[in-house]
Every structure is written in structure tokens, then in C-alpha cells.
Amino acid sequence: MTELDAVKAALKTQAVETPSWAYGNSGTRFKVFAQQGVPRDPREKLADAAKVHEFTGVAPSVALHIPWDTVDDYAALAKYAEELGLRLGTINSNTFQDDAYKLGSVCHPDAAVRRKALDHLFACVDVMDATGSKDLKVWLADGTNYPGQDDIRERQDRLAEALSAVYDRLGDDQRLLLEYKLFEPAFYSTDVPDWGTAYAHCLKLGDKAQVVVDTGHHAPGTNIEFIVATLLREGKLGAFDFNSRFYADDDLMAGAADPFQLFRIMYEVVRGGGLTPDIAFMLDQCHNIEAKIPAIIRSVMNVQEATAKALLVDRDALAAAQRSGDVLDANAVLMDAYNTDVRPLLAEVREESGLDPDPMAAYRRSGWAERIVAERVGGEQAGWGA
């Protein structure tokens, strides 16, 4: 197998999970701009996700968000996904939209509120059991806004107790993925604010607990690829939430704001042996003003392009330059790969897989956008909290 064949083979095995909520209406704190044809229920979200997979070939799974994607029969929903050529992926919990969680969920000072949050996390594991999903993703809005509001150390104790209970509830082939976020909505202290805190809890829990890196959840200037490299080295990187940010947690399309950063991250993934099914590569985006399905297709393509460039890095030449201390040559090796136009390569990969070389054009020709506008009339559109 030639080097180019190896790159193609790796690209053909890549999988990017799309989030159910990205197909619904979403916006900022100030306004949600509704669009025509938006799904009204989880099945319609899956139907849209199936179109993304149909035209990209690398989006076979869909993450659910509970309770946004609540249905009466989760096994039936999983079967419907299978009929569409999809599978249900990560189950995302929600302990941030109930009035009871004003002062936190699993870290709340009131034991009754902590119990309510824990019961929800258990219910999410029940959903996993019914759908065959392997991963439970936990992101907590818990924290404080003012000094002295609560005991910071005690909140960590409450967090550890809750995570341990959820961990014990998992099956042998299930994982707990712990996400972190610098701030928002807690502004003084966030209970899981960084990768170190998440890593510390996951390390104590055991092998079935791993860290999620959301590319929008860091302070400006943070070297995210260093975090990725370190977590891979420690065997504790479980998943990504890909998106772009300019200022904070903007949740813009992956690769839109800083494609070079996405390339650097993907190089560390390739370098660390992380391009495997053990690392869940998921989009976590909100499409406020752009059409949902094309935006998701474009995001998937952006991840593919960053991955292709990362795979093209001449690692032997890079290692030689690094060993000799040749700073400029080492940087040039990375830049050569980044500056490569990989679009013809990816078009070739798609054609070899029986796909249209241009997923965006193929989607436009499919008529799906016009069909869903005509058919999805009445009912309530899906969106944040729906």
C-alpha cells in the first residue's frame, strides 16, 4: 500500500457524529430565528441526519439530548435510525434547564436537588440501554457567581459522589464522558472548568470515564492541541465536540473561525493514534442564521479536510527536523501539509466510495430542502428545550 493509499484508507474509516439539536432551531440569548422545514420531532431530525450521511458518507451516528429528544419508545427510535442507515450515538444529559438547578444540579447544596439531577443521569443510562448507545456525555452548568456563595471544595465532593454513582450504574461496554467549560452560566467558579478538573475526576473513577474536549470551551489563546496530546498520552481522551469560536462558546461551524487550529488538533490526534472508533468525533453547533443541513454537511467536510491535511504531514521529515533542532524546517513541514489543497483528494475518496465528489452540490440537487419545507407544516418545530 502506498502512502497515499494509506491516507485514503484512513479517511474512508473516519466517522463524524452529528448532534440532533443542530437540526432544530437555535440562536443566541437574544433571539432564535426560526426556519422553514425544521424537524418537529426526533424522527424528523434523524431523517435530516440521514441526508448528511448520504452525501458525506462519514456521518453514521446521531447524538441525542435528553429531554429534548424524549420519546415513548427509545428502542423503536433506534430501529428507525437503523432503517435510515444510522445508529444512535452519544446520549447527552441536561441538568441545566430546570428551575431547581438555579444553584446547581449534582453540586447543589440541597440533597433533594442533587437527587433529582442524579435520577436524570440514571434515566439517561436507561436510554443508553434501550438504544444500544455506548457513551453518556455529562456537561454541568454547575458553579457559583459570587465569592462565598458556596463551599468550593464541598461542591467538588458532591460532584465526585454523583459521578461515582453514575459510573457504577454503567454497563461494561458503556462510558461516562465528562465535559468541561471555562465559564457560563457560572461566572465566579465553575465546578468543571478545565481539562485538569475533568481529568482528575475521570482518573479516580476508572477506565470507563474519559474527558470530552469541546473546542469552544477555552480561554482565548489556549493551546487546545496540547490538551489533546496530553489526554491521548494518558489514554483519557474520550470525545470531541467540534465547533468554532471567536470570543467564547460561540458554537459556530467547525473549521470556520480558525481552520489552522482544527488542523493542529487533528495532527495531534493522528500523531497520538486517536483516529479510532474509541474517540468520538462529534459536532456541537448551533446554526442560527444559516440553513441547518448544508451547514452540517460543510462542517463535516471541514473536519475531513483538516484530517486529510494532518494525515499528509511528513512525520519522518518532521521528526528529523525536530531532532536536529531545525525550527524553521520543522514548522515548514507542518505548513506544507496545511497548505495542501486536499479537496481533489477527498473528491477522489468519495468517488471511490460511490458518492458524489461534491456533497454540497449533491444535497442541493436532491430536492430535500424543498421537500421538508413543503411537508413539515404544522406542529411545533424542534429547538432549544423542545
Side-chain angles (χ1 to χ4, degrees):
M1 178 183 292
T2 67
E3 184 177 347
L4 186 58
D5 288 336
V7 170
K8 287 183 177 181
L11 290 169
K12 290 175 183 177
T13 62
Q14 186 176 27
V16 180
E17 186 165 282
T18 67
S20 67
W21 55 94
Y23 298 96
N25 286 318
S26 59
T28 67
R29 295 185 186 91
F30 307 106
K31 174 66 176 175
V32 173
F33 297 99
Q35 298 182 18
Q36 292 182 307
V38 167
R40 297 163 296 181
D41 56 51
R43 285 180 171 245
E44 290 184 347
K45 293 178 184 179
L46 291 177
D48 286 353
K51 290 299 171 182
V52 174
H53 184 46
E54 177 183 340
F55 296 117
T56 66
V58 295
S61 62
V62 182
L64 299 184
H65 203 294
I66 307 301
W68 299 348
D69 292 316
T70 297
V71 295
D72 293 332
D73 190 335
Y74 288 102
L77 186 66
K79 187 175 186 301
Y80 178 67
E82 186 178 352
E83 291 169 357
L84 293 174
L86 300 171
R87 65 177 182 275
L88 300 182
T90 307
I91 302 300
N92 292 257
S93 60
N94 182 323
T95 57
F96 52 86
Q97 285 194 311
D98 193 290
D99 285 346
Y101 300 141
K102 182 170 69 172
L103 301 180
S105 60
V106 297
C107 300
H108 198 287
D110 187 333
V113 176
R114 297 200 300 273
R115 182 72 245 179
K116 173 184 175 73
L118 188 58
D119 286 343
H120 170 72
L121 295 175
F122 286 159
C124 287
V125 181
D126 291 338
V127 173
M128 294 167 65
D129 292 339
T131 61
S133 301
K134 303 300 181 185
D135 292 337
L136 170 67
K137 186 187 297 176
V138 176
W139 173 72
L140 302 168
D142 292 36
T144 65
N145 277 4
Y146 297 98
Q149 177 182 324
D150 200 357
D151 188 295
I152 292 175
R153 177 164 175 164
E154 282 190 12
R155 292 181 74 89
Q156 288 297 308
D157 291 339
R158 299 168 197 155
L159 172 62
E161 181 180 0
L163 293 177
S164 179
V166 175
Y167 188 89
D168 290 343
R169 168 66 181 80
L170 296 174
D172 292 339
D173 60 346
Q174 295 174 335
R175 300 189 301 178
L176 187 157
L177 302 178
L178 183 59
E179 189 172 353
Y180 60 89
K181 188 175 185 179
L182 176 67
F183 77 105
E184 193 189 37
F187 293 111
Y188 172 64
S189 67
T190 300
D191 291 316
V192 190
D194 51 43
W195 71 274
T197 305
Y199 172 76
H201 281 284
C202 289
L203 188 65
K204 188 171 183 180
L205 288 169
D207 293 340
K208 294 187 295 184
Q210 294 190 304
V211 179
V212 178
V213 175
D214 185 306
T215 51
H217 285 189
H218 305 84
T222 298
N223 189 320
I224 299 175
E225 56 267 33
F226 172 83
I227 299 170
V228 171
T230 301
L231 290 173
L232 276 170
R233 181 175 180 271
E234 299 298 324
K236 279 296 181 182
L237 179 62
F240 280 99
D241 279 2
F242 283 129
N243 53 61
S244 284
R245 50 76 65 95
F246 288 105
Y247 299 106
D249 187 23
D250 304 338
D251 276 353
L252 300 172
M253 291 165 50
D258 188 353
F260 185 46
Q261 181 190 67
L262 183 56
F263 159 75
R264 299 193 310 264
I265 290 170
M266 290 311 303
Y267 172 70
E268 292 303 332
V269 170
V270 171
R271 163 68 178 85
L275 201 61
T276 72
D278 293 331
I279 309 294
F281 297 93
M282 195 193 81
L283 304 178
D284 182 15
Q285 303 175 172
C286 295
H287 304 293
N288 307 337
I289 59 175
E290 65 271 27
K292 316 294 182 181
I293 300 173
I296 297 170
I297 291 174
R298 179 66 61 81
S299 296
V300 171
M301 294 171 67
N302 288 348
V303 174
Q304 286 182 292
E305 289 182 17
T307 305
K309 293 180 179 186
L311 289 164
L312 289 174
V313 171
D314 188 337
R315 291 171 60 179
D316 291 337
L318 180 60
Q322 290 170 341
R323 285 193 301 269
S324 66
D326 194 326
V327 176
L328 294 179
D329 268 7
N331 178 250
V333 171
L334 281 181
M335 295 309 299
D336 284 345
Y338 176 69
N339 288 323
T340 301
D341 184 356
V342 297
R343 290 174 297 177
L345 170 64
L346 285 164
E348 193 175 320
V349 167
R350 294 184 187 111
E351 287 182 312
E352 290 177 0
S353 301
L355 302 171
D356 191 289
D358 186 343
M360 293 289 287
Y363 174 71
R364 284 193 294 269
R365 291 194 306 269
S366 72
W368 185 255
E370 295 78 12
R371 176 179 168 181
I372 59 179
V373 168
E375 292 183 353
R376 295 174 182 173
V377 178
E380 184 176 348
Q381 291 183 324
W384 283 354

